[in-house]
Amino acid sequence: MLRLRLLAPALAAAAAIAAVPAYGAPPGPQPYQAHDGLGFRNILPPGQNGLVNGQQLLNWELLKQRPPHNSDQLAMYGNLVYAVPGLTAAQLPKYYKDASFGVPLSDVARQYSPRDDVTIVRDKQFGVPHVYGRTRQGAMFGLGYAAAEDRLFFIDILRHLGRAELTAFAGGDPGNQAFDRSEWAIAPYTEGDLQKQVDQLPRLYGKQGARVVDDLNNYVAGINKYIDDAKMDPTKMPGEYAAINRPQGPDPWNARDVIATAALVGGIFGAGGGSELQSAQVLQALQARLGKRAGRAAWSDFRSANDPEAPTTVVGRKFPYQVPPKKLAKGSLAMPQPGSLVYQPVGGGAGGTSAKDTAAARLTPCPPKGLVCLPGSMSNALVVSARASRSGHPLAVFGPQTGYFAPQILMEEDVHAPGIDARGAAFPGVNQYVELGRGRDYAWSATSAGEDVTDTFAVPLCSTNGKPPSLQSDHYLYRGRCLKMEVLTRKNSWTPNLADQHPAGSETLTIQRTALGLVVARGRTHGRPVAYTSLRSTYMHEVDSALGFVDFNDPARMRSPRDFQRAANKIGYTFNWLYVDSKHDAYFNSGASPLRAKGTSTNFPIWGGNRKFEWRGWNPTTRTERQLPFARHAQTIDQRFMTSWNNKQAPGYRTSDSKWSYSPVFRSQLLSDRIRQRLRGGRRLDLVGLVSAMEDAGTVDLRGDRDLPYALRILGKQKNPALRSAISTLTAWMKRGAHRRDLNHNGVYDQSAAVRILDAWFPRWVSAEFKPAIGNSVFGQINSINEVDNAPNNHGGHLGSAYDDGWYGYINKDLRQALGMKVRGRYSRTYCGGGSRSRCRALLASTLAQAIKMPADQVYPADGVCNTGDQWCFDAVRQRPLGAVTQPLIEWINRPTFQQAVEVRHRVP
């Protein structure tokens, strides 16, 4: 296996950091609920402890005996689905644990000090680390030590994933190979690049940047202290290392490992844009099929860039963003010549993804059968203002939807030191700060936003030998100079191990880098050969977002909703941030959104052969540019209520070119509908009501809720008895809320027949509705940008998250047009039945007739987790094992992985 070799300077730096002044006796922990505004609860399954040492691994294999705190939050989390409807305030502690600061004396399990300026307390109930630093440096050291205690093997996976060398670490499974290629396509870094991102922080951000570096170094020292301890004490060493032929455990940590992990997390959950080439190909194909004007109109239908019917988080206020120019600047558009475009892969080999996939600007987060599988976007949030709350305090039920792992990809921590008082969740390996959680008297969370931080440029190719350049040229013309492309390579080698028996092999990943981004494709435009590049504003700035998290964790910097918004504005990754304190709530959409040159396209590739079309203020040396100012980011304070489930941010806020699903239907409506219902007639909500709204929405089939009513209306009364029976079954299910749930806990959905019918019908229905107009090829191209159906099974991933992107809004608007209903932002044509209601009715009837004949074993095939025909299991949530200790399945629920339930009671002076 390829081993990461640490540079000598990094070892010297880590040793110097560890040699802090002696303080004598370690600091004592603060009293339980000190500096606490009260009213905080949370849940994070399956359990805090991710350590399984060799003996514990043996106990699990022979006796199925779990390590402590390995699974003590899973039932709490999974059983809430059976308590709604009917949940009471007295029952809430059964499903959410106390998230107060500190530990009651009666609940202290262990107290220890890995260095004399920090004390860590573990509670008896759940094993959460409560870190108390005499100094900020001590707290950071303690957080690193606690991360290694709870997630050492996991963070080792993450630092290798972030370097696109998962295969070299864990084995040559084709899914691991696919993940490596995908990561190298969007975040290829040399060790020098990773170190540069650390070194540049003080230069770019002054004292704030220097503080982040100091935090980082002490955090790394804490991880290394635990590694040293584990090599001396086998009970502290994860048993998984022996299974991958690394019995000696991990190599020492360094700051670059943290940057690599940040690149991975940000690339999955905090990116957006970069699909300009795919968008261009869809437009060209539609115009070839339908004609220039009709093809452009059809492209606009599916693009859904600014659909007036799309649900938004901010209401009543417009935030114009990415407004297309009335007229494109002459020569700025760089559409590929049809037939000339060739996507440039980063690697090859059996089981790999296509060149087009690996060249995409977004990470493929869930390759088939890979070690890691993540949802493409995450999280939901429900926030109710003080004026709509029964208590007069704002309410929040929110959290990140990051998939499910064993151990979890998030870890909980409670940390207190000068300049930091916070408790909540963070991604291990980058958990110097609580990333989603609570402060003294406030709480915050985030959902993925997908703001447009990535663009595609067409860079003209050139040659240095006097001959005309070819498509294969490795030189490009930039600002009047013919420059050689930089080549970045990663060589991965692997051998079989106990965890991965795939044969030995190797692969070299290669990508080219230019002053305008990474080369993803080649083609011709303006009659010239070009390299199409992907330029992301957060590339080479993966850790800069730490500045915002520093503020979130600092009680002195978080005294108002506006302070929260200012802190969120420092985060370059694209997220929707939500906040509550005892009196106020707030929202802010973050993202390092570059200011584009005047007159350039918001949808298609931009000509990179003219400096005036580059991002405003673009500096290729520092990779910085002018960005969207604070006031133009979507934001609000004290709105009556807010919901965010990765939906559109605000009216007028155009979607990025990679997000085609902001149409009349989005899953956030399931949350908003339930809040409105509970507030109807001047009523007010309590926290139990808000939790119930979240959980009830989390079992709804969005297709059955928003699309099925119009399909059944068009179908009307049918003569065929089988169709009449199916329509009756679907209608009854729809009227009862279109839930996919098993309230009596017998392993069968309450209305399983209706669920099976719709699952069999939907793909046939959508194909019949749209393919006659746009054709099979275009249908597939659009599906590659916006998947037709984001079903709970997630192609065997069992991720929980469902109904994010999808064609649900296309169907909804099209069928309403077919019914002659009032529609805002009408499509250029009615696709169902070519505009004929009778033909639309006929195709719906014929596809439904096909669907009801399909047996369950065809609708629900075996997927490696479930047996053929097992509907409940097919949807069920799986805690994806990253070691030998597995977890039981829980019933499907579309809900955050880590979730807070908050009603802050008072302000802390």
Side-chain angles (χ1 to χ4, degrees), residues 776-805:
N776 289 337
S777 177
V778 175
F779 186 95
Q781 286 177 294
I782 299 173
N783 181 66
S784 71
I785 301 173
N786 181 24
E787 187 177 18
V788 168
D789 187 19
N790 176 215
N793 179 263
N794 276 280
H795 306 289
H798 293 269
L799 299 176
S801 178
Y803 309 120
D804 180 17
D805 293 328

PDB file of all heavy atoms in Angstrom, residues 776-805:
ATOM      1  N   ASN A 776     -35.585  10.186 -25.946  1.00  0.00           N
ATOM      2  CA  ASN A 776     -34.852   9.400 -24.954  1.00  0.00           C
ATOM      3  C   ASN A 776     -33.520  10.026 -24.565  1.00  0.00           C
ATOM      4  O   ASN A 776     -33.137  10.040 -23.395  1.00  0.00           O
ATOM      5  CB  ASN A 776     -34.598   7.983 -25.487  1.00  0.00           C
ATOM      6  CG  ASN A 776     -35.854   7.142 -25.543  1.00  0.00           C
ATOM      7  OD1 ASN A 776     -36.816   7.398 -24.831  1.00  0.00           O
ATOM      8  ND2 ASN A 776     -35.847   6.132 -26.398  1.00  0.00           N
ATOM      9  N   SER A 777     -32.797  10.531 -25.553  1.00  0.00           N
ATOM     10  CA  SER A 777     -31.459  11.054 -25.291  1.00  0.00           C
ATOM     11  C   SER A 777     -31.502  12.272 -24.385  1.00  0.00           C
ATOM     12  O   SER A 777     -30.767  12.355 -23.389  1.00  0.00           O
ATOM     13  CB  SER A 777     -30.766  11.393 -26.610  1.00  0.00           C
ATOM     14  OG  SER A 777     -29.490  11.956 -26.372  1.00  0.00           O
ATOM     15  N   VAL A 778     -32.354  13.234 -24.719  1.00  0.00           N
ATOM     16  CA  VAL A 778     -32.446  14.455 -23.910  1.00  0.00           C
ATOM     17  C   VAL A 778     -32.992  14.127 -22.519  1.00  0.00           C
ATOM     18  O   VAL A 778     -32.553  14.683 -21.518  1.00  0.00           O
ATOM     19  CB  VAL A 778     -33.324  15.514 -24.605  1.00  0.00           C
ATOM     20  CG1 VAL A 778     -33.517  16.727 -23.706  1.00  0.00           C
ATOM     21  CG2 VAL A 778     -32.697  15.930 -25.921  1.00  0.00           C
ATOM     22  N   PHE A 779     -33.943  13.209 -22.473  1.00  0.00           N
ATOM     23  CA  PHE A 779     -34.485  12.760 -21.190  1.00  0.00           C
ATOM     24  C   PHE A 779     -33.337  12.275 -20.285  1.00  0.00           C
ATOM     25  O   PHE A 779     -33.249  12.635 -19.117  1.00  0.00           O
ATOM     26  CB  PHE A 779     -35.491  11.639 -21.428  1.00  0.00           C
ATOM     27  CG  PHE A 779     -36.222  11.180 -20.188  1.00  0.00           C
ATOM     28  CD1 PHE A 779     -37.465  11.704 -19.871  1.00  0.00           C
ATOM     29  CD2 PHE A 779     -35.689  10.202 -19.363  1.00  0.00           C
ATOM     30  CE1 PHE A 779     -38.157  11.276 -18.748  1.00  0.00           C
ATOM     31  CE2 PHE A 779     -36.363   9.758 -18.234  1.00  0.00           C
ATOM     32  CZ  PHE A 779     -37.608  10.302 -17.923  1.00  0.00           C
ATOM     33  N   GLY A 780     -32.428  11.500 -20.863  1.00  0.00           N
ATOM     34  CA  GLY A 780     -31.293  10.997 -20.095  1.00  0.00           C
ATOM     35  C   GLY A 780     -30.316  12.089 -19.709  1.00  0.00           C
ATOM     36  O   GLY A 780     -29.751  12.074 -18.606  1.00  0.00           O
ATOM     37  N   GLN A 781     -30.113  13.055 -20.614  1.00  0.00           N
ATOM     38  CA  GLN A 781     -29.201  14.154 -20.312  1.00  0.00           C
ATOM     39  C   GLN A 781     -29.719  14.996 -19.146  1.00  0.00           C
ATOM     40  O   GLN A 781     -28.955  15.382 -18.250  1.00  0.00           O
ATOM     41  CB  GLN A 781     -29.011  15.036 -21.543  1.00  0.00           C
ATOM     42  CG  GLN A 781     -28.150  14.428 -22.628  1.00  0.00           C
ATOM     43  CD  GLN A 781     -28.065  15.338 -23.839  1.00  0.00           C
ATOM     44  OE1 GLN A 781     -29.047  15.586 -24.538  1.00  0.00           O
ATOM     45  NE2 GLN A 781     -26.886  15.854 -24.098  1.00  0.00           N
ATOM     46  N   ILE A 782     -31.005  15.306 -19.159  1.00  0.00           N
ATOM     47  CA  ILE A 782     -31.580  16.088 -18.058  1.00  0.00           C
ATOM     48  C   ILE A 782     -31.545  15.279 -16.769  1.00  0.00           C
ATOM     49  O   ILE A 782     -31.268  15.802 -15.692  1.00  0.00           O
ATOM     50  CB  ILE A 782     -33.017  16.539 -18.401  1.00  0.00           C
ATOM     51  CG1 ILE A 782     -33.008  17.428 -19.643  1.00  0.00           C
ATOM     52  CG2 ILE A 782     -33.653  17.280 -17.224  1.00  0.00           C
ATOM     53  CD1 ILE A 782     -34.392  17.786 -20.153  1.00  0.00           C
ATOM     54  N   ASN A 783     -31.796  13.992 -16.881  1.00  0.00           N
ATOM     55  CA  ASN A 783     -31.756  13.120 -15.708  1.00  0.00           C
ATOM     56  C   ASN A 783     -30.370  13.110 -15.060  1.00  0.00           C
ATOM     57  O   ASN A 783     -30.246  12.970 -13.840  1.00  0.00           O
ATOM     58  CB  ASN A 783     -32.156  11.703 -16.097  1.00  0.00           C
ATOM     59  CG  ASN A 783     -32.154  10.741 -14.925  1.00  0.00           C
ATOM     60  OD1 ASN A 783     -32.952  10.863 -14.012  1.00  0.00           O
ATOM     61  ND2 ASN A 783     -31.223   9.789 -14.943  1.00  0.00           N
ATOM     62  N   SER A 784     -29.313  13.292 -15.869  1.00  0.00           N
ATOM     63  CA  SER A 784     -27.961  13.307 -15.308  1.00  0.00           C
ATOM     64  C   SER A 784     -27.693  14.569 -14.507  1.00  0.00           C
ATOM     65  O   SER A 784     -26.801  14.595 -13.651  1.00  0.00           O
ATOM     66  CB  SER A 784     -26.917  13.165 -16.426  1.00  0.00           C
ATOM     67  OG  SER A 784     -26.858  14.342 -17.213  1.00  0.00           O
ATOM     68  N   ILE A 785     -28.452  15.636 -14.765  1.00  0.00           N
ATOM     69  CA  ILE A 785     -28.331  16.876 -13.984  1.00  0.00           C
ATOM     70  C   ILE A 785     -29.327  16.879 -12.837  1.00  0.00           C
ATOM     71  O   ILE A 785     -29.007  17.250 -11.704  1.00  0.00           O
ATOM     72  CB  ILE A 785     -28.567  18.113 -14.881  1.00  0.00           C
ATOM     73  CG1 ILE A 785     -27.558  18.145 -16.033  1.00  0.00           C
ATOM     74  CG2 ILE A 785     -28.479  19.401 -14.059  1.00  0.00           C
ATOM     75  CD1 ILE A 785     -27.826  19.235 -17.047  1.00  0.00           C
ATOM     76  N   ASN A 786     -30.541  16.480 -13.126  1.00  0.00           N
ATOM     77  CA  ASN A 786     -31.636  16.465 -12.154  1.00  0.00           C
ATOM     78  C   ASN A 786     -32.311  15.113 -12.248  1.00  0.00           C
ATOM     79  O   ASN A 786     -33.138  14.879 -13.126  1.00  0.00           O
ATOM     80  CB  ASN A 786     -32.621  17.604 -12.459  1.00  0.00           C
ATOM     81  CG  ASN A 786     -33.772  17.655 -11.478  1.00  0.00           C
ATOM     82  OD1 ASN A 786     -33.673  17.177 -10.346  1.00  0.00           O
ATOM     83  ND2 ASN A 786     -34.876  18.254 -11.895  1.00  0.00           N
ATOM     84  N   GLU A 787     -31.963  14.219 -11.343  1.00  0.00           N
ATOM     85  CA  GLU A 787     -32.469  12.852 -11.408  1.00  0.00           C
ATOM     86  C   GLU A 787     -33.994  12.831 -11.304  1.00  0.00           C
ATOM     87  O   GLU A 787     -34.585  13.552 -10.499  1.00  0.00           O
ATOM     88  CB  GLU A 787     -31.857  12.022 -10.288  1.00  0.00           C
ATOM     89  CG  GLU A 787     -32.181  10.541 -10.371  1.00  0.00           C
ATOM     90  CD  GLU A 787     -31.512   9.727  -9.284  1.00  0.00           C
ATOM     91  OE1 GLU A 787     -31.075  10.322  -8.284  1.00  0.00           O
ATOM     92  OE2 GLU A 787     -31.421   8.492  -9.440  1.00  0.00           O
ATOM     93  N   VAL A 788     -34.627  11.989 -12.101  1.00  0.00           N
ATOM     94  CA  VAL A 788     -36.085  11.920 -12.163  1.00  0.00           C
ATOM     95  C   VAL A 788     -36.693  11.703 -10.786  1.00  0.00           C
ATOM     96  O   VAL A 788     -37.659  12.370 -10.398  1.00  0.00           O
ATOM     97  CB  VAL A 788     -36.536  10.806 -13.136  1.00  0.00           C
ATOM     98  CG1 VAL A 788     -38.036  10.539 -12.984  1.00  0.00           C
ATOM     99  CG2 VAL A 788     -36.216  11.196 -14.576  1.00  0.00           C
ATOM    100  N   ASP A 789     -36.142  10.782 -10.022  1.00  0.00           N
ATOM    101  CA  ASP A 789     -36.740  10.416  -8.742  1.00  0.00           C
ATOM    102  C   ASP A 789     -35.644  10.133  -7.723  1.00  0.00           C
ATOM    103  O   ASP A 789     -34.814   9.249  -7.932  1.00  0.00           O
ATOM    104  CB  ASP A 789     -37.636   9.185  -8.915  1.00  0.00           C
ATOM    105  CG  ASP A 789     -38.427   8.833  -7.667  1.00  0.00           C
ATOM    106  OD1 ASP A 789     -38.577   9.702  -6.799  1.00  0.00           O
ATOM    107  OD2 ASP A 789     -38.910   7.686  -7.584  1.00  0.00           O
ATOM    108  N   ASN A 790     -35.640  10.883  -6.637  1.00  0.00           N
ATOM    109  CA  ASN A 790     -34.699  10.658  -5.538  1.00  0.00           C
ATOM    110  C   ASN A 790     -35.416   9.829  -4.471  1.00  0.00           C
ATOM    111  O   ASN A 790     -35.893  10.342  -3.464  1.00  0.00           O
ATOM    112  CB  ASN A 790     -34.215  12.002  -4.977  1.00  0.00           C
ATOM    113  CG  ASN A 790     -33.314  11.885  -3.777  1.00  0.00           C
ATOM    114  OD1 ASN A 790     -33.350  12.714  -2.880  1.00  0.00           O
ATOM    115  ND2 ASN A 790     -32.493  10.841  -3.726  1.00  0.00           N
ATOM    116  N   ALA A 791     -35.513   8.539  -4.714  1.00  0.00           N
ATOM    117  CA  ALA A 791     -36.307   7.640  -3.877  1.00  0.00           C
ATOM    118  C   ALA A 791     -35.577   7.303  -2.584  1.00  0.00           C
ATOM    119  O   ALA A 791     -34.351   7.406  -2.499  1.00  0.00           O
ATOM    120  CB  ALA A 791     -36.622   6.368  -4.651  1.00  0.00           C
ATOM    121  N   PRO A 792     -36.304   6.853  -1.545  1.00  0.00           N
ATOM    122  CA  PRO A 792     -35.681   6.539  -0.256  1.00  0.00           C
ATOM    123  C   PRO A 792     -34.544   5.526  -0.337  1.00  0.00           C
ATOM    124  O   PRO A 792     -33.586   5.620   0.428  1.00  0.00           O
ATOM    125  CB  PRO A 792     -36.853   5.998   0.572  1.00  0.00           C
ATOM    126  CG  PRO A 792     -38.052   6.690   0.021  1.00  0.00           C
ATOM    127  CD  PRO A 792     -37.788   6.783  -1.456  1.00  0.00           C
ATOM    128  N   ASN A 793     -34.640   4.557  -1.250  1.00  0.00           N
ATOM    129  CA  ASN A 793     -33.590   3.544  -1.347  1.00  0.00           C
ATOM    130  C   ASN A 793     -32.260   4.113  -1.818  1.00  0.00           C
ATOM    131  O   ASN A 793     -31.204   3.577  -1.503  1.00  0.00           O
ATOM    132  CB  ASN A 793     -34.037   2.412  -2.286  1.00  0.00           C
ATOM    133  CG  ASN A 793     -32.988   1.337  -2.466  1.00  0.00           C
ATOM    134  OD1 ASN A 793     -32.230   1.355  -3.442  1.00  0.00           O
ATOM    135  ND2 ASN A 793     -32.929   0.395  -1.533  1.00  0.00           N
ATOM    136  N   ASN A 794     -32.308   5.209  -2.568  1.00  0.00           N
ATOM    137  CA  ASN A 794     -31.086   5.866  -3.057  1.00  0.00           C
ATOM    138  C   ASN A 794     -30.125   4.880  -3.728  1.00  0.00           C
ATOM    139  O   ASN A 794     -28.934   4.816  -3.406  1.00  0.00           O
ATOM    140  CB  ASN A 794     -30.383   6.596  -1.913  1.00  0.00           C
ATOM    141  CG  ASN A 794     -30.943   7.974  -1.658  1.00  0.00           C
ATOM    142  OD1 ASN A 794     -30.631   8.934  -2.358  1.00  0.00           O
ATOM    143  ND2 ASN A 794     -31.813   8.063  -0.660  1.00  0.00           N
ATOM    144  N   HIS A 795     -30.661   4.089  -4.671  1.00  0.00           N
ATOM    145  CA  HIS A 795     -29.838   3.138  -5.439  1.00  0.00           C
ATOM    146  C   HIS A 795     -29.079   2.179  -4.533  1.00  0.00           C
ATOM    147  O   HIS A 795     -27.929   1.825  -4.801  1.00  0.00           O
ATOM    148  CB  HIS A 795     -28.869   3.881  -6.359  1.00  0.00           C
ATOM    149  CG  HIS A 795     -29.512   4.876  -7.267  1.00  0.00           C
ATOM    150  ND1 HIS A 795     -30.293   4.508  -8.331  1.00  0.00           N
ATOM    151  CD2 HIS A 795     -29.529   6.238  -7.237  1.00  0.00           C
ATOM    152  CE1 HIS A 795     -30.748   5.596  -8.941  1.00  0.00           C
ATOM    153  NE2 HIS A 795     -30.310   6.651  -8.293  1.00  0.00           N
ATOM    154  N   GLY A 796     -29.726   1.757  -3.462  1.00  0.00           N
ATOM    155  CA  GLY A 796     -29.112   0.822  -2.543  1.00  0.00           C
ATOM    156  C   GLY A 796     -28.312   1.467  -1.435  1.00  0.00           C
ATOM    157  O   GLY A 796     -27.748   0.778  -0.589  1.00  0.00           O
ATOM    158  N   GLY A 797     -28.295   2.806  -1.388  1.00  0.00           N
ATOM    159  CA  GLY A 797     -27.526   3.508  -0.369  1.00  0.00           C
ATOM    160  C   GLY A 797     -28.203   3.563   0.985  1.00  0.00           C
ATOM    161  O   GLY A 797     -27.546   3.746   2.001  1.00  0.00           O
ATOM    162  N   HIS A 798     -29.554   3.462   1.009  1.00  0.00           N
ATOM    163  CA  HIS A 798     -30.317   3.485   2.264  1.00  0.00           C
ATOM    164  C   HIS A 798     -29.932   4.705   3.101  1.00  0.00           C
ATOM    165  O   HIS A 798     -29.643   4.601   4.289  1.00  0.00           O
ATOM    166  CB  HIS A 798     -30.097   2.198   3.061  1.00  0.00           C
ATOM    167  CG  HIS A 798     -30.669   0.984   2.411  1.00  0.00           C
ATOM    168  ND1 HIS A 798     -31.932   0.539   2.658  1.00  0.00           N
ATOM    169  CD2 HIS A 798     -30.148   0.120   1.499  1.00  0.00           C
ATOM    170  CE1 HIS A 798     -32.180  -0.550   1.944  1.00  0.00           C
ATOM    171  NE2 HIS A 798     -31.103  -0.819   1.220  1.00  0.00           N
ATOM    172  N   LEU A 799     -29.959   5.900   2.463  1.00  0.00           N
ATOM    173  CA  LEU A 799     -29.441   7.111   3.080  1.00  0.00           C
ATOM    174  C   LEU A 799     -30.439   7.858   3.946  1.00  0.00           C
ATOM    175  O   LEU A 799     -30.063   8.818   4.625  1.00  0.00           O
ATOM    176  CB  LEU A 799     -28.938   8.073   1.990  1.00  0.00           C
ATOM    177  CG  LEU A 799     -27.799   7.575   1.109  1.00  0.00           C
ATOM    178  CD1 LEU A 799     -27.490   8.600   0.037  1.00  0.00           C
ATOM    179  CD2 LEU A 799     -26.570   7.288   1.931  1.00  0.00           C
ATOM    180  N   GLY A 800     -31.712   7.479   3.883  1.00  0.00           N
ATOM    181  CA  GLY A 800     -32.715   8.243   4.596  1.00  0.00           C
ATOM    182  C   GLY A 800     -33.173   9.441   3.799  1.00  0.00           C
ATOM    183  O   GLY A 800     -34.354   9.589   3.472  1.00  0.00           O
ATOM    184  N   SER A 801     -32.272  10.338   3.453  1.00  0.00           N
ATOM    185  CA  SER A 801     -32.616  11.525   2.673  1.00  0.00           C
ATOM    186  C   SER A 801     -33.239  11.123   1.344  1.00  0.00           C
ATOM    187  O   SER A 801     -32.730  10.260   0.631  1.00  0.00           O
ATOM    188  CB  SER A 801     -31.359  12.360   2.405  1.00  0.00           C
ATOM    189  OG  SER A 801     -31.664  13.485   1.611  1.00  0.00           O
ATOM    190  N   ALA A 802     -34.371  11.762   1.011  1.00  0.00           N
ATOM    191  CA  ALA A 802     -35.088  11.430  -0.221  1.00  0.00           C
ATOM    192  C   ALA A 802     -35.875  12.639  -0.706  1.00  0.00           C
ATOM    193  O   ALA A 802     -36.108  13.593   0.042  1.00  0.00           O
ATOM    194  CB  ALA A 802     -36.029  10.246   0.018  1.00  0.00           C
ATOM    195  N   TYR A 803     -36.280  12.570  -1.987  1.00  0.00           N
ATOM    196  CA  TYR A 803     -37.126  13.598  -2.614  1.00  0.00           C
ATOM    197  C   TYR A 803     -36.462  14.980  -2.600  1.00  0.00           C
ATOM    198  O   TYR A 803     -37.128  16.002  -2.451  1.00  0.00           O
ATOM    199  CB  TYR A 803     -38.514  13.639  -1.963  1.00  0.00           C
ATOM    200  CG  TYR A 803     -39.166  12.281  -1.890  1.00  0.00           C
ATOM    201  CD1 TYR A 803     -39.534  11.722  -0.673  1.00  0.00           C
ATOM    202  CD2 TYR A 803     -39.381  11.541  -3.054  1.00  0.00           C
ATOM    203  CE1 TYR A 803     -40.116  10.463  -0.608  1.00  0.00           C
ATOM    204  CE2 TYR A 803     -39.961  10.283  -3.002  1.00  0.00           C
ATOM    205  CZ  TYR A 803     -40.322   9.749  -1.780  1.00  0.00           C
ATOM    206  OH  TYR A 803     -40.887   8.496  -1.710  1.00  0.00           O
ATOM    207  N   ASP A 804     -35.153  15.005  -2.763  1.00  0.00           N
ATOM    208  CA  ASP A 804     -34.448  16.283  -2.856  1.00  0.00           C
ATOM    209  C   ASP A 804     -34.597  16.798  -4.282  1.00  0.00           C
ATOM    210  O   ASP A 804     -35.586  17.404  -4.629  1.00  0.00           O
ATOM    211  CB  ASP A 804     -32.993  16.095  -2.440  1.00  0.00           C
ATOM    212  CG  ASP A 804     -32.179  17.380  -2.519  1.00  0.00           C
ATOM    213  OD1 ASP A 804     -32.797  18.455  -2.578  1.00  0.00           O
ATOM    214  OD2 ASP A 804     -30.937  17.323  -2.515  1.00  0.00           O
ATOM    215  N   ASP A 805     -33.636  16.537  -5.136  1.00  0.00           N
ATOM    216  CA  ASP A 805     -33.821  16.845  -6.550  1.00  0.00           C
ATOM    217  C   ASP A 805     -34.813  15.851  -7.139  1.00  0.00           C
ATOM    218  O   ASP A 805     -35.010  14.756  -6.609  1.00  0.00           O
ATOM    219  CB  ASP A 805     -32.495  16.766  -7.282  1.00  0.00           C
ATOM    220  CG  ASP A 805     -31.541  17.864  -6.846  1.00  0.00           C
ATOM    221  OD1 ASP A 805     -32.018  18.945  -6.497  1.00  0.00           O
ATOM    222  OD2 ASP A 805     -30.319  17.636  -6.859  1.00  0.00           O
TER     223      ASP A 805
END
